[in-house]
């Protein structure tokens, strides 16, 4: 129902798949997975030990029947953007890159992580799309969004004013979706501006 979305955004938002090998998910976490013939594959865990992220195609993800966490951790961080995801890998924080709106591979893998009992912290932009992405992540796994401490004067100095088009889209969305979980946060964005995720990397 959003006339402003291009076809790529719509495909990603609704998990429409064109090719099982070109759609993928990038994840950095210590896990192994079981496939339909009951074989366990532990290469994501071995890449984790080397400090490297794993790239799983949609074909791989849809054949997963279970995940096993090889080294316990408390929370998976989902990252909307690439540079912050790279930073999470550098500091060895378990993370998954949503690459903007999560595609079907991302959503499916998040559901598998949810079945292991994990929750996640979503880290993204604080504009309309950022909060809509956070809501889609939360529909797959118990999740909360990282909200930067706006009492920090350095962060406040990086707030960006919404363009006329962004403001109009946000106001229209809020009117149409009064029960949206991030309604209050989007009103803050309307009042004070939005923050790019990259500005909150420490």
């Amino acid at each position: 129902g959003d006339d402003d979305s291009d076809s790529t955004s719509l495909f990603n938002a609704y998990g429409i798949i064109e090719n099982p090998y070109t759609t993928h998910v990038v994840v950095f976490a210590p896990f192994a997975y079981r496939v339909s013939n009951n074989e366990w594959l532990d290469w994501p865990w071995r890449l984790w030990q080397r400090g490297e992220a794993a790239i799983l195609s949609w074909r791989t993800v849809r054949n997963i029947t279970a995940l096993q966490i090889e080294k316990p951790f408390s929370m998976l961080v989902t990252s909307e953007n690439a540079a912050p995801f790279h930073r999470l890998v550098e500091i060895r924080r378990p993370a998954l890159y949503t690459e903007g709106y999560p595609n079907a591979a991302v959503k499916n893998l998040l559901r598998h992580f949810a079945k292991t009992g994990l929750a996640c912290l979503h880290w993204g932009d604080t504009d309309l799309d950022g909060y809509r992405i956070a809501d889609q992540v939360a529909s797959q796994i118990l999740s909360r969004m990282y909200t930067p401490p706006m009492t920090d004067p350095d962060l406040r100095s990086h707030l960006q004013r919404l363009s006329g088009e962004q403001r109009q889209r946000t106001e229209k969305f809020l009117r149409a979706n009064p029960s949206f979980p991030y309604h209050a946060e989007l009103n803050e964005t309307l009042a004070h501006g939005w923050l790019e995720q990259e500005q909150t990397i420490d």
Side-chain angles (χ1 to χ4, degrees):
D2 185 351
D3 295 333
D4 296 328
S5 294
D6 60 24
S7 60
T8 300
S9 297
L10 286 170
F11 281 13
N12 286 338
Y14 292 98
I16 297 170
I17 299 302
E18 291 187 308
N19 185 311
Y21 292 104
T22 58
T23 300
H24 61 267
V25 55
V26 185
V27 60
F28 178 67
F31 72 98
Y33 62 90
R34 188 178 63 201
V35 290
S36 53
N37 67 355
N38 287 323
E39 182 181 4
W40 282 93
L41 302 174
D42 68 352
W43 62 274
W45 159 235
R46 286 186 279 120
L47 284 177
W48 159 272
Q49 291 173 308
R50 292 168 53 89
E52 297 179 26
I55 301 173
L56 288 76
S57 73
W58 169 234
R59 186 181 188 282
T60 298
V61 173
R62 71 185 181 191
N63 286 323
I64 292 173
T65 59
L67 291 190
Q68 179 173 295
I69 304 302
E70 300 292 343
K71 181 180 180 181
F73 59 97
S74 58
M75 186 167 289
L76 182 73
V77 179
T78 50
S79 176
E80 175 184 344
N81 295 298
F85 175 77
H86 183 254
R87 177 65 180 137
L88 290 164
V89 174
E90 285 183 328
I91 64 172
R92 300 188 66 83
R93 183 83 186 264
L96 182 147
Y97 176 35
T98 71
E99 197 172 359
Y101 281 92
N103 63 35
V106 169
K107 290 179 178 179
N108 192 301
L109 192 60
L110 284 174
R111 289 195 295 272
H112 280 296
F113 276 117
K115 289 175 186 174
T116 70
L118 278 173
C120 86
L121 176 70
H122 181 70
W123 184 22
D125 298 337
T126 64
D127 61 353
L128 174 59
D129 288 307
Y131 285 115
R132 291 183 71 180
I133 290 165
D135 187 48
Q136 287 199 17
V137 168
S139 72
Q140 311 302 317
I141 186 171
L142 182 64
S143 175
R144 66 181 176 87
M145 183 160 178
Y146 169 65
T147 306
M150 294 317 298
T151 52
D152 182 334
D154 185 55
L155 286 180
R156 291 188 72 85
S157 71
H158 287 104
L159 283 169
Q160 300 184 46
R161 293 174 63 90
L162 293 173
S163 67
E165 185 271 335
Q166 285 176 307
R167 177 171 293 279
Q168 196 173 51
R169 266 188 78 215
T170 303
E171 290 172 343
K172 178 182 174 184
F173 180 83
L174 288 175
R175 285 194 301 271
N177 300 275
S179 61
F180 185 64
Y182 300 103
H183 205 280
E185 289 86 348
L186 279 173
N187 277 317
E188 285 290 309
T189 294
L190 284 169
H192 304 292
W194 68 284
L195 198 61
E196 283 186 310
Q197 181 190 2
E198 288 84 351
Q199 299 298 336
T200 62
I201 298 175
D202 56 16

